């Protein structure tokens, strides 16, 4: 799975659980994440700390024998209204009536095999469920929160609105994922799940847990929950206009994919690192990621900033200033970032770093998982932490304008053998166009269809930023930092980590060329 992960495949889910337990018992230094799925365990590693050959040897030596069977998990009753848009079509596909599909689904004793795709999304299996349900030929770009779906041998419910290709048969109001709760995930691995048709309340382990959300603390000017140390941070900038979409981002949440939590963080990590260095921050300090420019803010106090990433006109109090250089904004001065003329995302660093509440170890906004502070709005105040080092004595940093044709390098993917040799040549030789379906989750590319040798369903398996999934319509989708941590479409190739940031600057209509597959 690219140059920073391998996919270990076994025969069935029981062997997955055994292999995962054996690997988790004694991971060597350099192993970053272990992500169990339906037939595989994704092993992510840092090649600077452990060689790929050593990772392979460790996985093979772990074998497939697991620990003794775990005791039954807690029983969770989940209310489901069978009102999904795919209910009738799915029943017809299975050759049964909708009422029979509902009865079988509600009667099956389900258990959580593993979590993934998004925080709170549990893959449920049952020995009493006989069906293997194919995914949609083309996934929906938006599946509503609470939708209950079927895919392969699994059923599951979407904790929030996301893209997805499962067949939707119902809806639940269960609080599947509450990031601010002490136990944010309702359906944890090993839990037993009983479906209650059209039930209004939810019970877990005999106690009603459907009652109110966790206490919501005070909110600062950015709309983010208050947190220790945030209120004492100094006001730095007041947002006048956030542009199309602006969020707080640092370098993300690596190492949490097994919990269903994506890496997230700035899509152009290099641009964020440079911006932070220019104002004397640590490279992982939080900044602001601005999509397509149009951002305006006024300094609440004397504030050093730097802007990197896409090409846009910058003005300080109406006077043109340069990107990739430290800028001192006097108190009351307005910084204006024009509409991006090349590239898609700008990174704004504030000296001291943006002081936003941390969620699961990061200040990054993850739109798919609803983690981190909300997107910026007019009137929000950005607070800055205490600087840790002096501003470097530099006038600028060398940079180049993002190109309209983005060239990225590829490594072979774990399912390259699912495709014809001609498809691999097409992937390399074609010029792909970035579609309008492009965001922090991923980029859908328009171009020729990639022909498959195998057309059977792929059980869900671990994914990585940079993975090129190919849905049945044949056009690749490049997963980005907010993308799902598991998925069910074959990965033909993986963008190298060194060139992944380039996709952050690809905008609808831009062209993408792949090299090296």
């Amino acid at each position: 799975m690219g140059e920073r992960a391998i996919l270990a495949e076994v025969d069935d889910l029981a062997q997955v659980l055994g292999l995962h337990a054996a690997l988790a018992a004694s991971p060597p230094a350099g192993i970053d994440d272990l992500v169990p799925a339906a037939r595989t365990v994704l092993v992510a590693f840092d090649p600077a700390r452990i060689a790929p050959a050593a990772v392979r040897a460790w996985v093979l030596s772990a074998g497939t024998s697991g620990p003794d069977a775990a005791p039954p998990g807690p029983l969770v009753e989940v209310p489901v209204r069978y009102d999904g848009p795919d209910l009738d079509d799915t029943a017809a596909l299975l050759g049964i009536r909708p009422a029979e599909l509902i009865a079988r689904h509600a009667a099956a004793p389900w258990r959580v095999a593993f979590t993934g795709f998004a925080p709170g999304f549990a893959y449920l299996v049952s020995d009493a469920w006989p069906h293997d349900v194919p995914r949609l030929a083309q996934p929906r770009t938006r599946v509503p929160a609470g939708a209950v779906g079927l895919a392969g041998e699994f059923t599951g419910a979407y904790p929030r609105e996301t893209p997805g290709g499962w067949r939707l048969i119902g809806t639940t109001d269960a609080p599947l994922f509450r990031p601010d709760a002490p136990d944010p995930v309702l359906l944890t691995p090993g839990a037993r799940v009983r479906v209650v048709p059209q039930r209004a309340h939810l019970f877990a382990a005999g106690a009603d847990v459907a009652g109110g959300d966790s206490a919501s603390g005070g909110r600062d000017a950015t709309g983010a929950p208050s947190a220790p140390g945030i209120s004492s941070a100094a006001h730095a900038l007041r947002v006048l206009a956030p542009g199309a979409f602006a969020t707080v981002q640092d370098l993300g949440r690596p190492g949490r994919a097994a919990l269903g939590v994506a890496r997230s963080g700035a899509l152009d990590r290099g641009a964020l690192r440079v911006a932070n260095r220019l104002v004397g921050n640590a490279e992982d300090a939080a900044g602001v990621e601005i999509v397509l420019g149009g951002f305006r803010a006024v300094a609440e106090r004397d504030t050093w900033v730097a802007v990197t990433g896409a090409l846009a006109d910058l003005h300080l109090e109406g006077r043109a200033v340069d990107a990739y250089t430290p800028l001192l904004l006097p108190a009351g001065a307005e910084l204006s970032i024009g509409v991006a003329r090349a590239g898609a995302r700008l990174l704004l660093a504030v000296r001291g770093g943006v002081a936003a509440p941390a969620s699961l170890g990061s200040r990054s906004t993850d739109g798919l998982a609803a983690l981190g502070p909300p997107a910026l709005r007019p009137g929000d105040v950005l607070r800055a932490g205490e600087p840790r080092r002096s501003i470097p004595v530099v006038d600028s940093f060398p940079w180049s304008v993002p190109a309209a044709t983005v060239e990225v390098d590829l490594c072979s993917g774990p399912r390259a053998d699912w495709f014809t040799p001609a498809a691999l040549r097409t992937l390399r030789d074609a010029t792909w166009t970035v579609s309008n379906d492009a965001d922090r989750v991923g980029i859908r590319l328009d171009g020729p269809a990639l022909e498959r040798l195998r057309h059977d369903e792929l059980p869900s398996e671990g994914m990585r930023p940079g993975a090129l999934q190919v849905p049945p319509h044949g056009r690749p989708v490049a997963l980005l930092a907010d993308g799902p941590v598991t998925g069910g479409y074959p990965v033909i190739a993986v963008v190298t980590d060194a060139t992944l940031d380039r996709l952050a600057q690809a905008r609808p209509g831009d062209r993408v060329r792949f090299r090296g597959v």
Side-chain angles (χ1 to χ4, degrees):
M1 179 73 83
E3 83 270 54
R4 304 179 70 90
I6 65 171
L7 204 61
E9 186 171 18
V10 294
D11 291 334
D12 53 37
L13 183 59
Q15 291 186 30
V16 165
L17 299 179
L19 176 60
H20 178 254
L23 295 173
S26 58
I31 300 299
D32 291 334
D33 223 336
L34 300 170
V35 185
R39 300 290 184 272
T40 59
V41 178
L42 178 73
V43 182
F45 61 92
D46 180 358
R49 293 184 290 153
I50 186 170
V55 177
R56 290 178 176 272
W58 170 63
V59 172
L60 291 172
S61 68
T64 57
S65 59
D68 295 337
L75 176 64
V76 181
E77 295 191 351
V78 176
V80 174
R81 298 185 300 277
Y82 288 94
D83 55 2
D86 302 322
L87 177 63
D88 291 347
D89 289 345
T90 303
L93 190 68
L94 298 177
I96 58 178
R97 294 178 294 107
E100 186 175 354
L101 174 59
I102 293 171
R104 292 182 183 181
H105 187 267
W110 300 95
R111 71 181 187 278
V112 180
F114 55 90
T115 59
F117 176 67
F121 191 100
Y123 289 78
L124 310 182
V125 295
S126 175
D127 294 336
W129 181 252
H131 304 297
D132 188 353
V133 180
R135 290 172 173 81
L136 298 174
Q138 181 164 335
R140 292 179 170 92
T141 58
R142 290 291 181 267
V143 175
V148 176
L150 300 171
E153 63 187 303
F154 302 103
T155 191
Y158 289 75
R160 59 162 291 129
E161 183 180 279
T162 63
W166 290 34
R167 295 182 182 270
L168 307 182
I169 64 169
T171 308
T172 181
D173 297 323
L176 300 169
F177 181 68
R178 296 182 293 177
D180 296 328
D183 297 311
V185 176
L186 177 66
L187 303 179
T188 55
R192 296 169 295 144
V193 179
R194 177 184 301 150
V195 171
V196 182
Q198 298 180 338
R199 183 82 172 272
H201 296 285
L202 173 78
F203 296 88
D208 187 353
V209 298
D213 292 337
S214 60
S216 59
R219 306 183 73 86
D220 67 14
T222 65
S226 60
I230 300 301
S231 60
S232 61
H235 287 202
L237 300 176
R238 183 177 297 276
V239 177
L240 302 179
F245 188 64
T247 56
V248 174
Q249 300 292 341
D250 54 23
L251 293 182
R253 303 177 178 86
R256 297 179 182 271
L259 302 177
V261 177
R263 186 189 74 200
S264 195
L267 294 192
D268 192 337
R269 296 162 294 171
L272 176 64
R273 288 187 173 106
V274 170
N276 276 323
R277 288 171 59 189
L278 287 169
V279 294
N281 292 340
E283 289 187 344
D284 60 353
V288 178
E289 182 179 271
I290 303 162
V291 178
L292 298 176
F295 181 92
R296 292 169 47 235
V298 62
E300 294 278 287
R301 62 184 177 102
D302 290 358
T303 302
W304 285 93
V305 301
V307 180
T308 60
L311 173 65
D313 294 328
L314 308 182
H315 290 89
L316 174 55
E317 285 292 282
R319 175 176 57 87
V321 292
D322 292 331
Y324 283 83
T325 188
L327 300 171
L328 176 60
L329 276 57
E334 181 180 321
L335 173 69
S336 172
I337 301 175
V339 175
R341 293 188 281 125
R345 290 175 174 84
L346 298 109
L347 278 299
L348 170 66
V350 179
R351 178 157 169 75
V354 174
S359 180
L360 296 181
S362 168
R363 293 178 170 85
S364 290
T365 298
D366 181 341
L368 184 64
L371 291 171
L376 297 180
R377 300 165 297 186
D380 284 350
V381 171
L382 295 174
R383 301 171 184 263
E386 187 67 26
R388 297 183 180 180
R389 62 189 72 173
S390 61
I391 297 175
V393 183
V394 295
D395 293 326
S396 64
F397 190 93
W399 66 292
S400 59
V401 176
T405 298
V406 180
E407 295 190 351
V408 296
D409 296 332
L410 294 179
C411 297
S412 182
R415 304 301 175 184
D417 59 353
W418 281 46
F419 297 86
T420 66
L424 296 171
R425 290 193 298 269
T426 298
L427 179 66
R428 181 190 63 233
D429 296 340
T431 298
W432 302 89
T433 302
V434 177
S435 74
N436 289 327
D437 293 327
D439 55 21
R440 289 182 48 82
V441 174
I443 297 175
R444 184 173 295 173
L445 299 171
D446 290 333
L450 300 176
E451 184 181 1
R452 284 169 60 164
L453 288 171
R454 293 182 57 174
H455 297 276
D456 45 317
E457 288 289 315
L458 177 68
S460 291
E461 57 191 26
M463 292 291 146
R464 299 279 291 167
L468 290 185
Q469 283 190 321
V470 184
H473 57 64
R475 277 78 181 181
V477 177
L479 298 183
L480 298 180
D482 285 1
V485 301
T486 61
Y489 298 119
V491 173
I492 188 172
V494 182
V495 178
T496 64
D497 192 68
T499 61
L500 180 59
D501 286 8
R502 298 176 189 175
L503 290 178
Q505 300 301 345
R507 54 200 287 169
D510 281 356
R511 298 175 296 278
V512 175
R513 295 294 306 270
F514 295 118
R515 304 178 303 199
V517 65

